[in-house]
């Protein structure tokens, strides 16, 4: 590119610079107006230009520079001869061409050479696209002073990570860019960059503060009409407030004038005018516009002109210029100059548009976006079509981030558009399904953080939410930090939803076997998880340890026969609830009973109020004999005509926490149908638990096969858990008995709403999940209480990795061991990073059943403690299940001591108030074998304090 340009330059040619993102047809219009000049473009555009324009084209890949003589012959050389025509947004609806003379470019080189600090050998970044005059500063000034131009490729211009690599690799010392770009680059990543010029838009105090520290930061100002830059001033290392744009450069004179063209005193804002050799010749073939903007200069010699910038500015007492704003509607969006009227003109050409107004809004500080407000033509429907229409006709930065459809435009009392009354666009209608995996949850958080919104749904589109090229860069670099993987900006354009990106970062295996109905063998084996429970039942004898109980007090007119029939329907629907596990040759298998073999599922009893509690205890403490008994029991205790207590107990072998949702829903649906006198009209389930069992074996493969998923994952865990403590040293009140009693003390755990909100914000900021924050806090507390520096904690993952499992009752939940390294006195931020890393790795290997890991990694069985970890942490984010029985009021009944399979078991649930964090609620259950009740309370308090 540079070679071609330089050749043309030397030959004294003229150029039209074209932003390659301008669609070809539109360039055609521009060129037809521009007349016979040359085109330099950085894209593949040149080849695709419409023919017959009579325009000699200099292609960037013209290594022989064969076109250079053509250029030279088109126009001669001389200070008054055009050097280039640069097109910029025009309020009349088409871009206007600024014709800049060769003399003005020579003036720029002379005045800005010293400011840029280019010299022989100095590496200067060429970042600006050739469609913008910033590129002239780089090319002309650097090459004229013998410097070295390091040209960023299109990919490097779109991805700050690649850009930083280029800067480091090529030893770039100087760069001239827009402040928006600096806002997304990490200064630590470009240590050698010692001098930075910024300009083109307002430099905020924040960005200035970050970049003026330890390097030379120069703020500059100038319009295309005065050849790139006419002021410059170094920003002091210690930034207080918005910096000035400095003072006039050597070849420029600046005036701040009132409406009578009289200078205003320092401190008073007026309109800014520029005079000097850098002034453009005018607008190409627009004498009207040229006359309006390039006016006679009352302060110069005869015939001298000055350019009316439309900017408002004031002088400081020490001769620096402060940028105040615009006198008209022109805006800068990410450094790009935009006349909203041009966008309006394009949108107005859409047949469905009646009225249209385009404004730049800054609803999130530092992120200015174009928003179009449209009143449709009579009954036209304007969907996404309008943005697509705009995207086909305008460069990316001029396409509105949002289109807001209004019934009418808001007007003030005197009939003018009331801009303040234009509503902020709604980007997030965070509908659709919630995140199903941690990767999805994290990507949603990164989206929300980058877009500056509270929540983003998994299926929402980054660009529809107002994402643009700069935010895309920020998103990509956040994903790099959070997942430690490279996601290209290109990938973001291909899949722009959290769901799609999560699949990419997690390297989802598309070729996975899908879950469908399977051919049943004579005996269906148990799933891995079931097999472990069955094994424990053999080891420990029947017990209530794995019961999942629900107890509800029901007040109101209950249709008892309908409820009984509903339970029959639910067992009919879910095979797993009518499965028993007989043994043949020492191996258990799943035997599904028919509804006829079952009899009535719901048992009904009548007792006095005083005896209810005991009965509930007895029922929830039932010891299932899995060989002959179905794993669901339901008892309805009548106390009064209109008062009942319903106790449902599901053995873990046939259910898990997540199953309670579909189970409750199905009971509710069936009851409603039975009350109406018919069977529920639901669609049969796509698969049953036995299908899952067979699928799981197929998916995981044979552990003996080294290429199987199972073997791979077991290998991962062997390494991940190598050397982990077999038993965590907890601050116990008494020694551990030889055999655990599985009794627990339960105390409430409550994190207040404002802390919850801050935890969520911290999670977003750090690119971790809320769970990871809680996990880090827990590891910290345990460590400080003497558990050492290597803290394994168990957690549950839903295990419903296929959509077909969504509505199924069954035991899918799997247990993962998350090991936190608390050594080396890390900050909490560092701890969060460690937690994220181990958690993500663990989640990628979540398929191997915990029970299998136990067999492989902890072969010495102890009845005293839980294998591999003793502290369990669960954060429930699924909706709390509820059984709806017509007009009957249902309230949960407490059912005494909870079985505790762990030394310490923490469960928390996120609550919300109006969609905002409403606090974390849950409990800590400490083993009675080890702790006094009060110790569990103290532990809970400490965790909440941390
Ligand atoms: P352009 O022709 O694209 O260079 O845009 C010129 C316009 O950008 C000026 O008229 C100003 O409105 C704005 N501008 C340029 N430099 C600065 C700056 N340092 N601070 C604030 N606004 C600036």
């Amino acid at each position: 590119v540079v070679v071609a340009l330089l050749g043309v330059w030397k030959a004294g040619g003229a150029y039209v610079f074209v932003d390659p993102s301008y669609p070809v047809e539109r360039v055609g219009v521009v060129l037809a107006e521009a007349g016979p000049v040359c085109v330099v473009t950085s894209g593949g555009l040149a080849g695709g230009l419409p023919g017959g324009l009579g325009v000699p084209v200099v292609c960037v890949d013209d290594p022989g520079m064969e076109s250079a003589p053509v250029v030279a012959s088109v126009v001669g050389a001389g200070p008054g001869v055009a050097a280039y025509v640069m097109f910029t947004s025009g309020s009349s609806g088409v871009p206007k061409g600024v014709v800049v003379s060769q003399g003005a470019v020579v003036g720029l080189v002379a005045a800005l050479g010293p400011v840029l600090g280019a010299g022989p050998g100095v590496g200067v970044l060429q970042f600006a696209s050739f469609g913008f005059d910033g590129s002239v500063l780089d090319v002309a000034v650097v090459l004229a002073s013998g410097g070295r131009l390091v040209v960023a490729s299109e990919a490097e211009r779109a991805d700050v990570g690649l850009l930083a690599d280029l800067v480091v690799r090529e030893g770039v010392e100087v760069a001239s860019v827009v402040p928006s770009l600096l806002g997304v680059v990490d200064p630590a990543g470009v240590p050698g960059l010692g001098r930075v010029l910024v300009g083109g838009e307002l430099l905020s105090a924040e960005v200035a503060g970050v970049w003026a520290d330890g390097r030379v930061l120069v703020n500059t100002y100038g319009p295309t009409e005065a050849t790139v830059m006419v002021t410059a001033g170094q920003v002091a290392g210690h930034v207080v407030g918005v910096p000035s744009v400095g003072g006039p450069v050597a070849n420029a004179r600046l005036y701040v004038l009132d409406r009578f063209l009289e200078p205003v005193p320092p401190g008073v804002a007026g309109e800014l005018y520029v005079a000097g050799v850098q002034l453009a010749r005018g607008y190409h073939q627009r004498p009207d516009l040229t006359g309006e903007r390039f006016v006679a200069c009352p302060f110069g010699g005869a015939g001298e002109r000055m350019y009316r910038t439309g900017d408002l500015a004031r002088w400081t007492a020490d001769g620096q210029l402060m940028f105040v704003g615009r006198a008209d509607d022109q805006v800068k969006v990410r450094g790009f100059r935009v006349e909203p009227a041009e966008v309006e003109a394009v949108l107005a050409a859409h047949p469905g548009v009646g009225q249209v107004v385009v404004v730049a809004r800054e609803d999130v500080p530092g992120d200015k976006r174009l928003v179009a407000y449209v009143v449709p033509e009579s009954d036209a429907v304007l969907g996404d079509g309008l943005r697509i229409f705009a995207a086909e006709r305008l460069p990316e930065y001029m396409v509105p981030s949002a289109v807001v459809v209004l019934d009418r435009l808001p007007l003030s009392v005197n009939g003018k558009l009331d801009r303040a009354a234009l509503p902020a666009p709604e980007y997030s209608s965070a509908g659709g399904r919630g995140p199903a995996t941690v990767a999805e949850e994290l990507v949603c958080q990164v989206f929300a953080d980058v877009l500056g919104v509270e929540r983003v749904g998994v299926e929402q589109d980054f660009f529809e939410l107002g994402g643009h090229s700069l935010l895309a860069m920020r998103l990509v670099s956040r994903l790099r930090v959070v997942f430690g993987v490279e996601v290209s900006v290109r990938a973001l354009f291909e899949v722009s939803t959290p769901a799609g990106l999560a699949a990419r970062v997690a390297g989802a295996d598309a070729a996975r076997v899908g879950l469908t109905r399977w051919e049943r063998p004579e005996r269906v084996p148990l799933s891995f998880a079931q097999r472990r429970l069955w094994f424990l039942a053999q080891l420990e004898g029947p017990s209530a340890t794995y019961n999942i109980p629900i107890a509800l007090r029901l007040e109101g007119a209950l249709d008892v026969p309908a409820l009984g029939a509903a339970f029959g329907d639910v067992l009919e629907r879910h095979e797993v609830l009518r499965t028993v596990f007989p043994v043949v040759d020492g191996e258990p298998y799943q035997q599904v009973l028919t509804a006829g073999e079952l009899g009535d599922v719901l048992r009904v009893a009548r007792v006095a109020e005083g005896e209810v509690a005991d009965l509930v205890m007895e029922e929830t403490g039932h010891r299932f004999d899995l060989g002959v008994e179905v794993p669901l029991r339901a008892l309805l205790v009548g106390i009064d005509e209109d008062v009942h207590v319903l106790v449902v107990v599901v053995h873990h072998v046939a259910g898990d926490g997540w199953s309670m949702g579909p189970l409750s829903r199905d009971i509710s649906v069936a009851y409603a149908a039975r009350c109406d006198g018919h069977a529920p009209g639901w669609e049969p389930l796509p698969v049953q638990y036995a299908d899952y069992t067979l699928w799981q074996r197929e998916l995981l493969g044979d552990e003996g096969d080294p290429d199987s998923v199972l073997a791979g994952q077991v290998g991962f865990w062997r390494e991940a858990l190598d050397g982990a403590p077999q038993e965590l040293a907890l601050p116990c009140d008494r020694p551990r008995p030889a055999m655990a009693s599985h009794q627990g003390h339960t105390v409430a755990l409550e994190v207040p709403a404002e802390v919850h909100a801050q935890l969520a914000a911290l999670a977003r900021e750090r690119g971790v999940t809320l769970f990871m924050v809680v996990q880090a806090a827990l590891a910290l507390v345990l460590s400080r209480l003497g558990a050492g520096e290597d803290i394994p904690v168990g957690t549950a993952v839903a295990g419903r990795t296929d959509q077909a499992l969504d509505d199924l009752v069954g035991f899918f939940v799997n247990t993962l061991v998350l090991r936190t390294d608390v050594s080396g006195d890390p900050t909490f931020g560092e701890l969060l990073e460690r937690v994220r890393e181990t958690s993500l790795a663990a989640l990628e290997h979540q398929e191997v059943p915990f029970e299998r890991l136990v067999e492989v990694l902890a072969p010495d069985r102890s009845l005293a403690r839980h294998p591999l970890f003793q502290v369990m942490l669960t954060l429930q984010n699924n909706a709390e299940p509820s059984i709806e029985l017509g007009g009957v009021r249902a309230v949960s009944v407490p059912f005494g001591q909870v079985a505790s399979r762990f030394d310490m078991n923490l469960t928390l649930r996120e609550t919300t108030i109006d969609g905002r964090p409403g606090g974390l609620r849950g409990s800590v259950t400490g083993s009675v074998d080890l702790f006094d009740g009060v110790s569990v309370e103290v532990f809970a308090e400490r965790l909440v304090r941390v």
Side-chain angles (χ1 to χ4, degrees):
V1 174
V2 175
V3 171
L5 265 177
L6 190 60
V8 174
W9 202 277
K10 280 191 176 149
Y15 324 81
V16 173
F17 288 82
V18 181
D19 178 357
S21 67
Y22 258 101
V24 169
E25 311 80 67
R26 201 164 161 78
V27 172
V29 173
V30 169
L31 292 178
E33 281 182 6
V37 283
C38 303
V39 176
V40 177
T41 166
S42 47
L45 194 63
L49 281 173
L53 287 167
V55 180
V57 173
V58 178
C59 285
V60 292
D61 51 358
D62 178 14
M65 287 195 293
E66 279 151 28
S67 39
V70 182
V71 177
S73 67
V74 174
V75 267
V81 177
Y84 61 83
V85 181
M86 185 76 59
F87 280 78
T88 179
S89 180
S91 56
S92 64
V94 279
K96 49 186 188 266
V98 179
V99 183
V100 173
S101 69
Q102 297 176 13
V105 178
V106 173
L108 174 83
V109 169
L112 279 132
V115 177
L116 192 65
V122 176
V124 181
L125 181 69
Q126 156 72 61
F127 182 81
S129 148
F130 293 121
F132 302 97
D133 70 347
S135 64
V136 178
L137 176 83
D138 299 332
V139 176
V141 177
V142 173
L143 297 187
S145 54
R148 183 165 54 96
L149 204 54
V150 177
V151 185
S153 68
E154 205 172 329
E156 284 152 349
R157 291 176 41 226
D159 186 327
V160 280
L162 297 178
L163 187 67
D165 292 347
L166 173 77
V167 166
V168 171
R169 192 175 65 236
E170 294 294 335
V172 171
E173 294 152 81
V174 180
S176 157
V177 292
V178 289
S180 290
L181 179 72
L182 287 191
V184 296
V185 176
D186 176 9
V190 286
L193 188 62
R195 191 177 185 86
V196 178
L197 263 67
V198 283
E201 65 180 341
L202 200 67
L203 173 64
S204 70
E206 293 80 58
V207 171
V210 170
W211 285 87
D213 185 17
R215 51 165 64 75
V216 177
L217 178 69
V218 181
N219 194 14
T220 68
Y221 160 91
T224 303
E225 288 85 342
T227 316
V228 195
M229 285 167 181
V230 288
T231 77
Q234 187 176 340
V235 180
H238 181 68
V239 176
V240 189
V242 173
S244 80
V245 297
V249 297
N251 276 321
R253 275 172 293 126
L254 275 77
Y255 307 101
V256 179
L257 306 178
D258 64 15
R259 62 197 172 96
F260 306 108
L261 297 186
E262 291 290 343
V264 297
V268 176
E271 196 168 335
L272 185 62
Y273 290 76
V274 184
V277 296
Q278 283 177 231
L279 237 56
R281 286 197 341 202
Y283 297 110
H284 184 70
Q285 291 180 353
R286 296 294 302 273
D288 52 336
L289 208 53
T290 305
E292 206 178 286
R293 283 291 174 177
F294 293 85
V295 298
C297 178
F299 314 103
E304 193 171 343
R305 301 172 311 147
M306 61 182 182
Y307 169 64
R308 179 180 188 181
T309 63
D311 290 316
L312 301 175
R314 62 183 162 76
W315 291 109
T316 63
D318 55 352
Q320 303 295 296
L321 208 55
M322 297 297 297
F323 179 82
V324 174
R326 283 294 298 178
D328 58 15
D329 293 336
Q330 181 186 302
V331 287
K332 278 293 177 106
V333 179
R334 290 171 268 138
F336 298 117
R337 176 167 159 181
V338 176
E339 293 285 355
E342 183 181 350
V343 185
E344 285 168 6
V346 167
L347 294 183
H350 187 282
V353 171
Q355 283 171 293
V356 55
V357 177
V358 173
V359 298
R361 301 184 64 107
E362 199 171 324
D363 293 310
V364 175
D367 184 15
K368 206 185 282 172
R369 298 177 184 179
L370 287 181
V371 178
Y373 294 89
V374 176
V375 180
E377 192 74 75
S378 56
D379 42 35
V381 184
L382 295 169
D384 242 5
L386 194 54
R387 284 190 63 220
I388 296 169
F389 181 82
E392 283 165 356
R393 290 163 177 80
L394 290 168
E396 184 257 347
Y397 60 88
M398 285 173 89
V399 177
S401 297
V403 174
V404 179
V405 176
L406 299 174
D407 291 339
R408 70 184 85 82
L409 295 176
L411 299 179
S412 62
V413 275
N414 53 19
K416 283 182 145 184
L417 177 71
D418 184 359
R419 286 175 180 266
L422 290 169
E426 287 255 354
Y427 291 101
S428 61
S429 52
R433 74 178 170 89
T437 63
V438 167
E440 285 185 355
E441 191 181 342
L442 282 176
V443 179
C444 284
Q445 292 215 16
V446 171
F447 268 52
D449 189 42
V450 167
L451 292 163
V453 297
E454 187 85 19
R455 255 168 220 279
V456 169
V458 245
E459 305 287 2
Q460 284 188 299
D461 185 279
F462 180 72
F463 297 100
E464 271 161 33
L465 292 171
H468 48 67
S469 57
L470 269 187
L471 290 182
M473 288 194 202
R474 195 175 284 168
L475 186 86
V476 162
S477 60
R478 286 287 283 157
L479 290 174
R480 182 181 299 126
V481 171
V482 171
F483 292 97
V485 295
E486 287 300 327
V487 181
S488 62
V489 172
R490 175 190 299 267
L492 177 62
F493 280 90
E494 286 165 8
V495 282
S496 40
T497 62
L501 280 174
R504 287 234 172 164
V505 296
D509 178 8
R512 247 172 104 118
V513 204
L515 173 54
T516 49
R517 280 183 182 269
W518 282 71
E519 183 87 39
R520 302 271 169 99
E522 189 194 343
R523 295 202 184 94
V524 178
L526 276 57
S527 71
F528 289 99
Q530 286 181 322
R531 202 173 180 294
R532 171 149 186 270
L533 282 191
W534 176 84
F535 172 78
L536 286 175
Q538 312 308 303
L539 191 70
E540 299 172 1
S543 82
T545 314
Y546 293 96
N547 285 0
I548 309 173
I550 310 176
L552 295 174
R553 187 180 176 91
L554 307 175
E555 288 176 11
L558 184 72
D559 183 340
V560 178
L563 187 61
F567 270 96
D569 294 331
V570 170
L571 263 71
E572 173 72 47
R573 181 167 173 76
H574 296 278
E575 280 182 8
V576 72
L577 296 176
R578 50 189 163 92
T579 298
V580 292
F581 305 94
V583 179
V584 170
D585 299 336
E587 259 312 300
Y589 68 96
Q590 301 190 41
Q591 184 186 359
V592 181
L593 304 182
T594 61
E597 290 170 291
L598 283 180
D600 281 343
V601 183
L602 182 70
R603 288 163 300 126
V604 183
R606 246 201 124 78
V607 296
E609 176 90 63
E611 297 162 39
V612 174
D614 282 349
L615 197 54
V616 170
M617 278 275 263
E618 191 186 311
E619 186 67 13
T620 57
H622 176 78
R623 295 156 184 235
F624 283 94
D625 181 350
L626 299 174
V628 293
E629 242 183 299
V630 292
L632 178 139
R633 284 167 69 87
L635 174 68
L636 184 70
V637 187
I639 300 170
D640 206 317
E641 183 65 14
D642 281 341
V643 183
H644 297 83
V645 170
L646 174 67
V647 189
V648 181
V649 187
V650 178
H651 193 278
H652 200 3
V653 83
D656 54 18
W658 276 267
S659 297
M660 294 300 120
L663 180 64
S664 308
R665 206 169 48 234
D666 287 350
I667 293 173
S668 310
V669 168
Y671 177 77
R674 290 294 173 183
C675 285
D676 274 355
H678 57 82
W682 48 38
E683 286 285 314
L685 290 164
V687 292
Q688 292 286 351
Y689 194 81
D691 299 309
Y692 161 78
T693 310
L694 298 166
W695 170 76
Q696 184 192 39
R697 284 176 189 266
E698 175 75 23
L699 180 75
L700 294 181
D702 183 4
E703 207 179 313
D705 168 9
D707 293 332
S708 70
V709 173
L710 193 58
Q713 296 204 356
V714 167
F716 164 84
W717 285 104
R718 204 187 281 281
E719 210 165 289
L721 298 181
D722 185 37
Q726 282 296 310
E727 186 175 315
L728 201 61
L730 296 172
C732 301
D733 295 313
R734 48 192 154 269
R736 189 182 290 277
M739 183 162 169
S741 73
H742 295 317
Q743 307 277 299
H745 301 287
T746 297
V747 303
L749 189 61
E750 278 203 25
V751 179
E754 60 272 28
V755 180
H756 178 196
Q758 288 173 22
L759 291 177
L762 175 72
R764 250 201 325 267
E765 190 189 308
R766 296 289 178 147
V768 297
T769 62
L770 183 70
F771 175 83
M772 292 177 191
V773 178
V774 177
Q775 186 201 331
L778 174 63
L780 192 67
V781 175
L782 289 169
S783 169
R784 292 292 149 96
L785 289 177
E789 297 184 324
D790 185 352
I791 314 283
V793 166
T795 194
V797 285
R800 293 172 184 253
T801 47
D802 193 293
Q803 224 177 337
L805 300 175
D806 284 356
D807 295 325
L808 207 57
V809 172
F811 183 6
F812 302 105
V813 68
N814 196 12
T815 306
L816 291 187
V817 190
L818 303 172
R819 193 172 169 191
T820 307
D821 172 12
V822 198
S823 67
D825 197 20
T827 64
F828 196 69
E830 286 160 356
L831 197 59
L832 284 178
E833 266 160 43
R834 292 183 191 177
V835 165
R836 179 176 59 212
E837 207 166 296
T838 43
S839 298
L840 289 179
L843 287 162
E844 276 171 32
H845 301 88
Q846 61 165 295
E847 255 108 12
V848 53
F850 179 74
E851 21 293 327
R852 186 65 205 123
L853 274 189
V854 171
E855 281 161 26
V856 179
L857 303 177
D860 47 334
R861 280 312 171 99
S862 160
L863 292 176
R865 56 156 196 259
H866 194 272
L868 300 181
F869 68 88
Q870 291 84 40
V871 177
M872 178 83 173
L873 173 67
T874 319
L875 182 67
Q876 304 275 21
N877 48 11
N878 50 337
E880 201 150 11
S882 73
I883 298 181
E884 313 270 337
L885 302 172
V888 177
R889 216 169 75 87
V891 192
S892 291
V893 185
F895 36 78
Q897 268 192 347
V898 189
S900 172
R901 281 168 261 151
F902 311 100
D903 291 355
M904 193 83 87
N905 184 11
L906 297 92
T907 37
L908 281 169
R909 178 182 291 279
E910 272 195 84
T911 68
T912 53
I913 302 171
D914 297 335
R916 267 190 277 284
L920 301 176
R921 302 257 133 80
S923 62
V924 185
T925 302
S927 161
V928 168
D929 299 342
L930 304 177
F931 301 105
D932 293 334
V934 63
S935 305
V936 183
E937 260 166 52
V938 169
F939 183 84
E941 276 166 27
R942 286 178 171 155
L943 177 64
V944 173
R945 189 175 315 149
V946 166

